[in-house]
Amino acid sequence: MKHLFLPLAILLVTVSCKNTAIRSVSGVLEAKVGAATAPECVRQAMQNPVTDNRFEMILNDEQNHVAVWCLIRCSDDVSAEGYGIVVQTGPTTTVFPDILHGKNPTASYDSTTGNLWLATAVMEGTGTHVEQLHLLRFDSNGRATIANTIDPYDLQKAFIQHIGYSIDGKNITFYADNQPIHTATSTVDDMGGFYDEPVWIGEQISYVLGDTLRALVTPGVTFNVGKVLLYDDMPTFSADVILSDTAVEIQNIRVEK
């Protein structure tokens, strides 16, 4: 991911205040996040995991006997650095030390499909919250395995294929598949005009888990002065997610209320 994507030499380019042609949003993420590797202390802490006060429960589905914990610290004075997931169904426990869960991960189990969804933060910081989605399933012995993962880069790419925008003065009109769905008016008045590629996505990606799997993406805007994305006045887009064995697709794009 890049925060500093505007060459300094072109920061002072003057752009037109009106460009009503529909343009595709740009993407901040330049490559897949990929798999992570946990610190050794996490591996040691999870060799024989006892879900004591080092862990935080994020799902307790008593009806279906499914529970999920994330490791917060390896010991009283050693952080787990955001790594480590424990999944239990009935008497069977499965550990995933290399899952980077970050802060406030969420999980949801669908007993109809047998899908266990796990949304974890793989990038966090000021103005940045990027989640990765894991699909887990249980084998005949109750052991959990990762059946699929949506890398944030792939979700970003899916949104880029559908979301466009046009600019008229301070107004940014957003389009989903060339149909207008929202107009945002920028109230930022101390950063100069819009940069020539002003609208970017990829720094704010999250999921809502439930009967319908939804992804949330908030675009950011950059100006001729400054080098970071600003999210003032920008909408959050919601889309239903369809995950196959080979690709991720989105549909029913709307503005989140």
Side-chain angles (χ1 to χ4, degrees):
M1 189 186 72
K2 56 183 181 181
H3 287 270
L4 183 61
F5 54 84
L6 305 181
L8 184 59
I10 61 173
L11 283 176
L12 298 181
V13 171
T14 300
V15 298
S16 171
C17 63
K18 184 172 184 176
N19 187 347
T20 55
I22 300 177
R23 306 162 63 184
S24 294
V25 295
S26 301
V28 174
L29 302 175
E30 297 178 314
K32 290 179 180 289
V33 172
T37 302
E40 184 58 31
C41 73
V42 173
R43 298 183 181 281
Q44 293 178 1
M46 301 185 74
Q47 285 182 354
N48 295 295
V50 176
T51 49
D52 52 23
N53 60 7
R54 297 171 302 161
F55 292 82
E56 179 183 358
M57 178 179 280
I58 60 174
L59 175 66
N60 184 21
D61 186 336
E62 294 182 347
Q63 181 176 356
N64 295 294
H65 309 291
V66 175
V68 181
W69 289 265
C70 61
L71 181 64
I72 302 300
R73 58 186 183 276
C74 299
S75 63
D76 289 343
D77 56 354
V78 178
S79 170
E81 300 180 27
Y83 284 87
I85 290 289
V86 175
V87 178
Q88 186 171 8
T89 177
T92 304
T93 298
T94 312
V95 299
F96 297 94
D98 291 323
I99 290 183
L100 177 61
H101 55 73
K103 298 177 181 177
N104 302 315
T106 56
S108 177
Y109 180 67
D110 185 340
S111 61
T112 303
T113 61
N115 291 338
L116 174 59
W117 296 103
L118 178 64
T120 62
V122 293
M123 297 180 185
E124 296 175 301
T126 303
T128 301
H129 181 85
V130 177
E131 293 184 353
Q132 192 170 47
L133 188 73
H134 304 280
L135 170 59
L136 283 70
R137 293 200 177 104
F138 299 103
D139 64 20
S140 58
N141 297 316
R143 181 172 177 79
T145 58
I146 298 176
N148 212 331
T149 297
I150 299 180
D151 193 281
Y153 176 81
D154 293 327
L155 187 73
Q156 172 188 270
K157 184 166 62 175
F159 269 90
I160 287 174
Q161 293 172 350
H162 292 273
I163 297 293
Y165 68 95
S166 63
I167 291 179
D168 184 359
K170 289 280 191 176
N171 299 321
I172 303 175
T173 297
F174 289 94
Y175 302 81
D177 298 317
N178 295 319
Q179 298 300 313
I181 59 172
H182 184 78
T183 296
T185 301
S186 174
T187 59
V188 177
D189 57 8
D190 58 351
M191 303 293 285
F194 291 126
Y195 175 60
D196 58 356
E197 291 184 61
V199 184
W200 297 70
I201 62 173
E203 280 192 346
Q204 293 197 13
I205 295 174
S206 61
Y207 289 91
V208 177
L209 309 180
D211 295 338
T212 300
L213 178 63
R214 291 189 294 137
L216 305 180
V217 171
T218 303
V221 177
T222 191
F223 298 83
N224 285 333
V225 178
K227 306 171 187 177
V228 297
L229 295 176
L230 300 179
Y231 294 90
D232 306 62
D233 313 307
M234 291 300 106
T236 295
F237 297 112
S238 173
D240 299 337
V241 178
I242 303 171
L243 178 62
S244 69
D245 292 338
T246 58
V248 55
E249 299 180 3
I250 59 173
Q251 63 182 16
N252 192 22
I253 301 170
R254 64 271 195 194
V255 176
E256 184 76 359
K257 300 300 183 182

